[in-house]
Amino acid sequence: MAIKDQPQPPRFRLISNVLLLLSSLFVLANIFLPNLFGPQIPQVPYSLFVHQVQEQDVVRASVGQNEIRYQLKGEGDTPGQVLSTTPIFDLDLPKLLQEKGVEFAATPPSKNGWIGSVLSWVIPPLIFVAIFQFFMNRQGGGPQGALSIGKSKAKVYVEGESAKITFADVAGVEEAKTELVEVVEFLKTPDKFTAIGARIPKGVLLVGPPGTGKTLLAKAVAGEAGVPFFSISGSEFVELFVGVGSARVRDLFEQAKKQAPCIIFIDELDAIGKSRSTGGMYGGNDEREQTLNQLLTEMDGFAAGNTTVIVLAATNRPESLDAALLRPGRFDRQVLVDRPDLSGREAILNIHSQTVKLGPDIDLKAIATRTPGFSGADLANLVNEAALLAARNKRLAVAQEDFLEAFERVVAGLEKKSRVLNEKEKKIVAYHEVGHAMVGALMTGGGEVAKISIVPRGMAALGYTLQLPTEDRFLLDESELRGQIATLLGGRSAEEVVFGSITTGASNDLQKATDLAERMVTTYGMSKVLGPLAYDRSQQSFLGDGMGNARRAVSAQTAEAIDQEVKEIVETAHTQALDILKANRELLETITSQLLETEVIEGEKLHEFLTQVKPVDKVVA
């Protein structure tokens, strides 16, 4: 696909350039013209003028409102020098001039006074026009200046010499591609549908987490159909002036209808499509609301004719969109573009690895197994990081160890070998990480412990324990969630067992454990005391925990009961972790000693150690 530039009418550029030229000429005339009609008179301070009058060096003076011109005494037949000064409010000046015998009178009108009068009326408006034109030229996105502010900023892609994007370039979203095949078929052969009275959805909304390939899918639809593709972000409609966004919407759809059949793609639709309810959490905005109203009108306007223009839009916050956008006749079909599963991740890695030289030891399936929850953009970044590491290590091809190191860089951050710990801190970190690993080895639902390291990574991690899932999981039961909390508290528990005290290193673990326990009570209903009720009012979205993280309005007794239940879950998991480590104290010392020597334990050696962890006879379920 290639970008096609929109033609720019030359008359608009001519008008703006003439205005700028005229304003520049008038400014220069105001500066230099007064000097062309007479010699320049030197100006002196008013105090010097008064002193010269008192010394009787002044022959005559012409007193005006803005200037005093006076002539000094000459020598012989040579007239004296003419000087000027700026007057001040001095009521005694006429009396002083009369006493000293100075001839004085009012200043005659200036010969070029009409020029100053004209300039004072003409120059300010022209300067304002020039400044206004300059800013409109910057905001208007091109040489048309202020006259182009209402023009659409959409990029138009048409079939060109460059390779087009097709469904073969998109992987991991097979269900979404199947939904969009109908759109492609309608654009190619609309008679197939219209002959039996069917109509294609006018708007298709792609929803899903960031980086899952929504924009790529839209381009693939245009590439498969071989039609023009108008691409614009929702934020590009909204400007400072009310009405500009709606004008751009009209201009965009006018251009699209001229090139029909075609596709309009609006990225980040929530920038202009948020709920118009002023009483809601978003508030009102005149410019955004007018832009949204115009978009709704234009989409409904397609029903009047046979114009085959399809609107694709993408957002990761569908819950924030206005209800009028999602009704039948507008965006009446939603296509979920979710994070890929195991086979999808492997397919995505295969696509992004086509331009990278891979070594013979590469196992993309193993890498896909390590990366649950990664989006397509995350996997593309992973491949690029592995290639950069291979080039840094002066390899001719990317090796499997490059991918493993790239994965750890993405998940845990860069290694900070320059961050040197003293012996006491290093020992505390080692026991802490081994405590995580030993408790995690007996817990289900947390994945397999694959690596223990006391090499600092990222901004705050002094060490880390890497757990990898053995399969994609979509549901976890209560015992598995309790096991995850116990694993999080394993590091703090190891510090208590060995040193009899605790440090600040477990702060992040405590935060995660508390959050998970609170979700168990308020969201998942995993409390026998409170029962199967949801007390969390946050709206879950693709961005994370939700748009709010507050509880519903509950009574003081219920709030206290929630806090007690959360505390009970965390304390039970803490006791469970302590029991496991106390029952395996000798193994804890053995693994920690090995970790202090090598700084990293992984692979078969780690597996051999962790298989020796003995379960506790009395484990609280």
Side-chain angles (χ1 to χ4, degrees), residues 184-196 198 261 306 308:
V184 175
E185 291 182 355
F186 176 77
L187 289 171
K188 284 185 175 180
T189 56
D191 295 339
K192 173 183 175 182
F193 297 88
T194 58
I196 59 175
N306 296 324
T308 52

Side-chain angles (χ1 to χ4, degrees), residues 524-575:
Y524 307 140
M526 295 179 178
S527 170
K528 296 179 181 178
V529 175
L530 295 167
L533 297 175
Y535 296 94
D536 187 2
R537 67 179 183 186
S538 63
Q539 298 183 18
Q540 297 294 322
S541 72
F542 297 113
L543 295 177
D545 290 338
M547 300 168 60
N549 195 19
R551 296 176 185 171
R552 293 181 182 274
V554 296
S555 64
Q557 293 80 3
T558 303
E560 183 178 358
I562 292 174
D563 293 337
Q564 290 295 331
E565 283 293 286
V566 171
K567 183 178 180 181
E568 185 274 332
I569 292 175
V570 175
E571 287 184 344
T572 301
H574 182 210
T575 303

Side-chain angles (χ1 to χ4, degrees), residues 44 65 80 84 154 230 247 283 297 319 330 350 402 444-445 464-465 477 490 536 538 542:
V44 299
Q65 185 178 1
S84 67
F230 291 78
T297 303
E319 71 283 348
R330 292 186 179 125
N350 277 314
D402 294 321
T444 59
Y464 66 98
T465 301
D477 58 34
D536 187 2
S538 63
F542 297 113

Side-chain angles (χ1 to χ4, degrees), residues 6-14 143-144 148 151:
Q6 295 296 317
Q8 306 288 350
R11 62 178 179 277
F12 298 131
R13 296 197 298 270
L14 178 61
Q144 296 182 23
S148 68
K151 298 296 182 181

Side-chain angles (χ1 to χ4, degrees), residues 210-237:
T212 50
K214 298 184 290 294
T215 304
L216 188 64
L217 263 176
K219 290 184 178 180
V221 171
E224 291 282 348
V227 297
F229 179 76
F230 291 78
S231 176
I232 190 170
S233 174
S235 61
E236 293 185 66
F237 287 109

Side-chain angles (χ1 to χ4, degrees), residues 70-342:
Y70 64 95
Q71 186 177 17
L72 301 176
K73 290 182 179 180
E75 297 180 0
D77 297 335
T78 304
Q81 185 181 8
V82 178
L83 301 174
S84 67
T85 185
T86 302
I88 63 174
F89 187 71
D90 188 357
L91 297 177
D92 296 331
L93 179 60
K95 182 178 179 181
L96 177 62
L97 294 175
Q98 187 176 8
E99 290 177 355
K100 299 301 180 181
V102 178
E103 300 177 8
F104 66 93
T107 304
S110 175
K111 295 182 178 180
N112 55 354
W114 65 274
I115 297 179
S117 178
V118 171
L119 293 178
S120 65
W121 284 95
V122 174
I123 286 181
L126 287 175
I127 293 176
F128 175 78
V129 170
I131 295 174
F132 181 78
Q133 190 272 342
F134 171 75
F135 283 106
M136 290 305 99
N137 186 48
R138 291 172 62 90
Q139 294 186 8
Q144 296 182 23
L147 297 175
S148 68
I149 191 171
K151 298 296 182 181
S152 169
K153 293 185 176 182
K155 298 179 178 66
V156 184
Y157 296 86
V158 296
E159 283 193 276
E161 298 179 357
S162 58
K164 62 181 180 180
I165 297 176
T166 64
F167 285 147
D169 301 310
V170 184
V173 284
E174 300 304 320
E175 295 83 0
K177 287 198 294 186
T178 302
E179 288 289 326
L180 294 174
V181 165
E182 283 187 6
V183 177
V184 175
E185 291 182 355
F186 176 77
L187 289 171
K188 284 185 175 180
T189 56
D191 295 339
K192 173 183 175 182
F193 297 88
T194 58
I196 59 175
R199 61 178 180 85
I200 201 72
K202 299 171 186 176
V204 178
L205 183 62
L206 306 176
V207 299
T212 50
K214 298 184 290 294
T215 304
L216 188 64
L217 263 176
K219 290 184 178 180
V221 171
E224 291 282 348
V227 297
F229 179 76
F230 291 78
S231 176
I232 190 170
S233 174
S235 61
E236 293 185 66
F237 287 109
V238 183
E239 287 286 356
L240 173 65
F241 305 102
V242 176
V244 172
S246 56
R248 289 181 177 173
V249 171
R250 288 191 297 270
D251 185 69
L252 172 62
F253 280 85
E254 286 175 5
Q255 294 181 39
K257 291 174 184 178
K258 293 177 182 177
Q259 300 194 38
C262 66
I263 292 175
I264 295 177
F265 176 64
I266 304 176
D267 201 5
E268 304 299 340
L269 179 64
D270 51 277
I272 59 171
K274 289 181 181 178
S275 175
R276 291 170 292 178
S277 174
T278 56
M281 64 180 65
Y282 300 109
N285 181 284
D286 288 340
E287 168 64 357
R288 181 174 57 78
E289 288 185 8
Q290 288 195 19
T291 305
L292 174 58
N293 291 335
Q294 187 63 42
L295 178 62
L296 297 175
T297 303
E298 293 291 343
M299 293 189 69
D300 259 348
F302 288 163
N306 296 324
T307 306
T308 52
V309 178
I310 293 179
V311 182
L312 297 181
T315 182
N316 47 40
R317 300 177 62 181
E319 71 283 348
S320 69
L321 296 179
D322 193 88
L325 270 175
L326 305 180
R327 73 159 178 79
R330 292 186 179 125
F331 289 105
D332 45 9
R333 175 175 296 188
Q334 294 188 25
V335 177
L336 177 61
V337 187
D338 206 353
R339 293 184 177 93
D341 56 11
L342 177 59

Side-chain angles (χ1 to χ4, degrees), residues 18-28 123 126-127 129-130:
V18 168
L19 287 175
L20 279 177
L21 178 61
L22 287 176
S23 61
S24 302
L25 289 176
F26 274 107
V27 170
L28 293 175
I123 286 181
L126 287 175
I127 293 176
V129 170

